[in-house]
Amino acid sequence: MVMDRRSLLPNSSKKQTVTTYTMTTTEPIAMDDPTTADDAISRVPTVPVNPPIAQSENSASAEGLPSANVKLVTRNLRFFYGSVQALSDISMSIPVNRVTALIGPSGCGKSTFLRCLNRMNDMIEKTRVEGDVLLDGNDVYKPGTDVVELRKRVGMVFQKSNPFPKSIFENVAYGPRLTGINGRAELQEIVEKSLKRAALLDEVKDRLNDSALRLSGGQQQRLCIARALATSPEVLLMDEPASALDPASTTRIEDLIFELRERYTIVIVTHNMQQAARVSDQTGFFYEGQLIEVGPTRQLFTTPTEKQTEDYITGRFG
Amino acid sequence: MRFADTTVSLASDDGITGGVTRFRYWFERAIHVFLFACAGISVLTTVSIVFVLLVESVRFFFDVSVFDFLTDTKWTPLLKPQHFGILPLMCGTLLVAFGSSLIAIPIGLGTAIFLSEYAPPRLRDVIKPLVEVLAGIPSVVYGYFAVVSISPLVRSTFPSAGPFNAASACVVVGIMTLPMIISLSEDALRAVPRSLREGAYALGATKFDTTAHVVVPAAMSGIVASFLLAISRAIGETMAVTLAAGATPKATLNPLESVQTMTAYIVQISQGDTPAGTVEYRTIFAVGLALFLSTMVINLVAQGILSRMREKYE
Ligand SMILES: Nc1ncnc2c1ncn2[C@@H]1O[C@H](COP(=O)(O)OP(=O)(O)OP(=O)(O)O)[C@@H](O)[C@H]1O
Ligand SMILES: [Mg+2]
């Protein structure tokens, strides 16, 4: 992967590494690919098709992630809450069929970054985005982008679980219903499959019509995972999906992530370093709104390039 | 040893802390008694009102049978032959309550949804104060408005309508209850956490999907409560209704006719020269009791609905 090159640049300051990194990624993606560059998101086939650039990048990444194509790219992404800048110049590639973990201290902008990827921050008043987010080569912030379609493709599990005040069944069935699936049998199948994958089915199969609000915190969290899975997004953004789970459920969610990796692209925010190490292929370390370092998980955890990363992963952070 | 030291120093402060504690104790007691007295006053008032209502009604029912009261279709206590059937007044009240809800509920809920979900903040800042002004207009002004503008409008649309008609009362009471529905429903809608809306948007819901399937259902108990308050208000409304609908007790559901509501009747008798202590005078207590009971039934039903809803989803 391109980001690995940063490690090849000894003694480079942060600013420089970012620039170098950006250039290597942006150039080929920029407008090299005539088929996808100008297409509206809605016209791109729903089967993940990776732009040709990804191949050219492949050859460049000798170490780390061999067969990774790029699903999502951010270029100089900046984000502002009013006048407060929460993200500065984040440039990052998220490979398809891989798990990307985001780590970093509380308040460093991980959630903000994640929410930029499916334009969830649009809803917050007085915010501003600069830079690009490319999904399969298409800028999701381009005027005329179908945000509804984008969110169907890029699903999200929120940091705070937010089940609807409806039954368990209706919570999971809501996404499929939005796509026009209304047959009871079909919905039943999707709901059960999704709940099973989220490791919740056994606990709730006898009370699918009970209110979702009566579930425990951890169960609600898994319900939200099931709800996101039910729409079969191409990319799944998970903001601390296991923060309220016991070890057994956490293991099952991690197994799920591993299994989903075959078909989806996953970005997961976690405060649990072991979890990041276990489930992810690539890890990005955020600090104070900056992407300090990103690279193959194993490398980031064993031989981090930046001092700050090392301090953080070894628990020496102030 | 350090523990012992602490204990000693605490003990030496005892004189002061003891004084403070004693003062706090009495202060807390005084507050307690004062608040209890406040609660007591409202309970006492309610109980005595109901008591008077009941006693006077019982005396009324010595003269008029309960059966006649409930089944007779004429209400002519001041004319010979006297009839004491509550039905016409009940009809008038229900007609106005139902008709005004028919107007106020859809418009009110629509406005509330618009303000909370769709309106840009600037526009909301203009509309909300306007709605509040609507709430502050005295009801007699509304009544006058009904007589001089709404009624002629109704009559030009439906030539069979009389100068006083239930329809204009419905319209004017509907307008009067609008602010209540708008502001309470809007509060309920705005109280729905952003995270719920985001949950729906993240699944690819449109704004309409989110509003219709998630936000409104989540705010439903507050919305229904606003409807019920509006209906209670419509039932209790007197002045505007008297001016708009007239004073003709009639067992009809035709909104183009003049009707009389229970409250309008009570005002008519209380202000008239009917001597106190007569059966004619006591009718107002029986009517008051009927009014009280019907509002109570509505409240009970409402609470039943709300608690069933809460039990399920809150
Ligand atoms: N809605 C908002 N309005 C204003 N500032 C916000 C908002 N949401 C987040 N911020 C600020 O942006 C910064 C980044 O927040 P963010 O939620 O992205 O952090 P995070 O890395 O996800 O932290 P955590 O690990 O605690 O979830 C914080 O300083 C936060 O105070
Ligand atoms: Mg967060």
Side-chain angles (χ1 to χ4, degrees):
Chain A
M1 284 302 297
V2 185
M3 36 271 188
D4 304 339
R5 290 198 189 151
R6 297 179 50 193
S7 56
L8 303 176
L9 298 167
N11 300 330
S12 56
S13 80
K14 199 187 301 151
K15 192 80 194 160
Q16 281 167 326
T17 52
V18 169
T19 321
T20 322
Y21 162 69
T22 313
M23 280 170 56
T24 46
T25 29
T26 42
E27 271 170 24
I29 291 171
M31 292 294 111
D32 258 5
D33 175 16
T35 54
T36 52
D38 288 317
D39 270 357
I41 280 183
S42 51
R43 275 189 275 144
V44 177
T46 29
V47 185
V49 177
N50 299 293
I53 47 104
Q55 263 110 47
S56 65
E57 217 184 9
N58 265 348
S59 50
S61 58
E63 67 281 305
L65 312 160
S67 62
N69 297 338
V70 177
K71 184 72 183 175
L72 267 167
V73 174
T74 67
R75 292 191 303 212
N76 297 328
L77 186 69
R78 292 182 196 152
F79 190 83
F80 301 84
Y81 290 108
S83 57
V84 181
Q85 183 162 8
L87 294 177
S88 41
D89 287 303
I90 309 288
S91 294
M92 184 174 186
S93 296
I94 290 160
V96 74
N97 294 357
R98 290 289 180 273
V99 178
T100 300
L102 305 179
I103 58 169
S106 185
C108 66
K110 305 178 298 292
S111 299
T112 304
F113 176 73
L114 210 60
R115 294 163 54 96
C116 282
L117 301 180
N118 66 345
R119 292 187 59 168
M120 220 57 206
N121 284 330
D122 287 15
M123 248 98 60
I124 305 178
E125 275 160 31
K126 301 198 181 86
T127 59
R128 194 168 89 245
V129 190
E130 287 173 9
D132 304 319
V133 176
L134 307 178
L135 175 66
D136 288 337
N138 297 294
D139 188 354
V140 305
Y141 282 98
K142 194 169 64 183
T145 299
D146 183 348
V147 183
V148 168
E149 191 62 29
L150 168 72
R151 295 190 185 127
K152 283 185 181 151
R153 294 177 63 196
V154 183
M156 179 163 221
V157 177
F158 292 84
Q159 179 162 13
K160 224 177 105 226
S161 51
N162 53 353
F164 302 135
K166 297 177 189 289
S167 69
I168 295 170
F169 183 92
E170 284 305 327
N171 261 274
V172 185
Y174 188 60
R177 277 191 201 281
L178 288 174
T179 60
I181 299 172
N182 274 313
R184 183 74 200 184
E186 199 179 347
L187 284 176
Q188 185 81 29
E189 192 192 318
I190 295 174
V191 168
E192 288 190 0
K193 201 175 98 194
S194 309
L195 287 171
K196 195 178 171 81
R197 298 174 92 181
L200 185 60
L201 185 62
D202 292 342
E203 287 157 67
V204 302
K205 62 172 175 283
D206 301 324
R207 47 179 180 135
L208 289 178
N209 292 320
D210 274 17
S211 166
L213 302 182
R214 289 214 205 124
L215 295 174
S216 75
Q219 288 171 332
Q220 292 189 3
Q221 203 163 28
R222 280 173 285 158
L223 180 71
C224 293
I225 295 174
R227 191 173 70 183
L229 293 176
T231 52
S232 310
E234 295 163 36
V235 181
L236 191 57
L237 311 173
M238 305 175 102
D239 201 341
E240 296 186 46
S243 62
L245 302 187
D246 60 294
S249 312
T250 304
T251 308
R252 291 179 71 179
I253 294 302
E254 288 177 7
D255 290 347
L256 169 77
I257 292 172
F258 207 76
E259 174 203 324
L260 292 174
R261 179 178 176 274
E262 316 227 309
R263 281 198 284 150
Y264 304 115
T265 302
I266 297 171
V267 186
I268 174 175
V269 171
T270 176
H271 277 291
N272 181 332
M273 234 72 77
Q274 282 78 28
Q275 185 171 63
R278 277 193 302 265
V279 301
S280 72
D281 303 284
Q282 169 182 264
T283 300
F285 170 60
F286 279 73
Y287 183 62
E288 291 184 346
Q290 299 186 356
L291 178 61
I292 302 297
E293 183 170 359
V294 58
T297 299
R298 173 188 283 269
Q299 184 216 306
L300 190 121
F301 279 104
T302 52
T303 53
T305 326
E306 303 291 329
K307 179 83 170 60
Q308 282 157 305
T309 318
E310 191 181 335
D311 287 351
Y312 183 71
I313 59 182
T314 53
R316 250 179 291 154
F317 228 81
Chain B
M1 272 344 279
R2 274 177 69 193
F3 268 109
D5 282 346
T6 327
T7 325
V8 169
S9 71
L10 265 183
S12 65
D13 280 342
D14 223 30
I16 302 164
T17 45
V20 169
T21 317
R22 214 166 300 137
F23 172 72
R24 268 202 208 122
Y25 172 79
W26 286 112
F27 184 71
E28 289 292 334
R29 290 243 18 122
I31 293 286
H32 188 113
V33 169
F34 173 72
L35 294 178
F36 180 81
C38 291
I41 288 171
S42 39
V43 170
L44 216 66
T45 329
T46 313
V47 168
S48 37
I49 289 175
V50 173
F51 180 76
V52 170
L53 213 53
L54 279 175
V55 168
E56 293 292 329
S57 299
V58 166
R59 289 171 70 183
F60 171 78
F61 286 119
F62 282 146
D63 298 324
V64 177
S65 83
V66 177
F67 183 81
D68 283 348
F69 184 70
L70 294 177
T71 56
D72 199 333
T73 57
K74 284 209 182 81
W75 180 259
T76 53
L78 303 181
L79 304 169
K80 301 272 170 204
Q82 281 183 320
H83 286 278
F84 297 97
I86 190 74
L87 222 59
L89 295 181
M90 206 56 127
C91 263
T93 297
L94 288 182
L95 195 59
V96 172
F98 182 79
S100 63
S101 310
L102 219 57
I103 292 165
I105 287 178
I107 298 179
L109 183 58
T111 312
I113 291 175
F114 174 73
L115 287 179
S116 123
E117 307 298 311
Y118 287 84
R122 281 244 210 87
L123 187 59
R124 185 169 58 222
D125 291 347
V126 175
I127 296 181
K128 270 222 108 172
L130 281 181
V131 170
E132 267 139 37
V133 167
L134 212 59
I137 298 174
S139 82
V140 64
V141 176
Y142 277 106
Y144 183 73
F145 171 65
V147 172
V148 302
S149 8
I150 300 174
S151 183
L153 207 69
V154 170
R155 294 186 75 193
S156 65
T157 323
F158 305 98
S160 66
F164 295 106
N165 54 66
S168 31
C170 291
V171 172
V172 81
V173 174
I175 295 173
M176 289 173 75
T177 52
L178 257 184
M180 184 180 279
I181 293 183
I182 294 173
S183 68
L184 292 179
S185 297
E186 204 230 343
D187 288 348
L189 289 166
R190 298 240 284 177
V192 174
R194 178 203 291 277
S195 65
L196 275 191
R197 295 182 174 83
E198 289 185 339
Y201 283 125
L203 294 170
T206 60
K207 188 159 203 153
F208 177 76
D209 291 329
T210 307
T211 306
H213 305 147
V214 176
V215 182
V216 171
M220 202 40 114
S221 56
I223 291 173
V224 171
S226 82
F227 293 171
L228 292 165
L229 270 176
I231 293 172
S232 296
R233 167 95 196 266
I235 290 177
E237 176 48 41
T238 312
M239 206 59 213
V241 172
T242 312
L243 288 177
T248 324
K250 208 181 289 173
T252 177
L253 291 176
N254 179 359
L256 301 178
E257 290 187 50
S258 168
V259 294
Q260 188 171 39
T261 62
M262 295 194 266
T263 49
Y265 173 76
I266 293 174
V267 170
Q268 184 194 350
I269 297 301
S270 322
Q271 309 237 303
D273 43 15
T274 317
T278 60
V279 62
E280 290 82 3
Y281 188 76
R282 279 195 205 106
T283 52
I284 64 172
F285 294 101
V287 172
L289 186 67
L291 189 62
F292 173 70
L293 289 179
S294 38
T295 330
M296 202 164 79
V297 166
I298 289 180
N299 280 339
L300 287 178
V301 169
Q303 282 185 359
I305 295 172
L306 288 180
S307 71
R308 284 249 313 265
M309 219 144 62
R310 285 209 189 98
E311 195 183 304
K312 199 149 188 213
Y313 295 124
E314 274 170 30

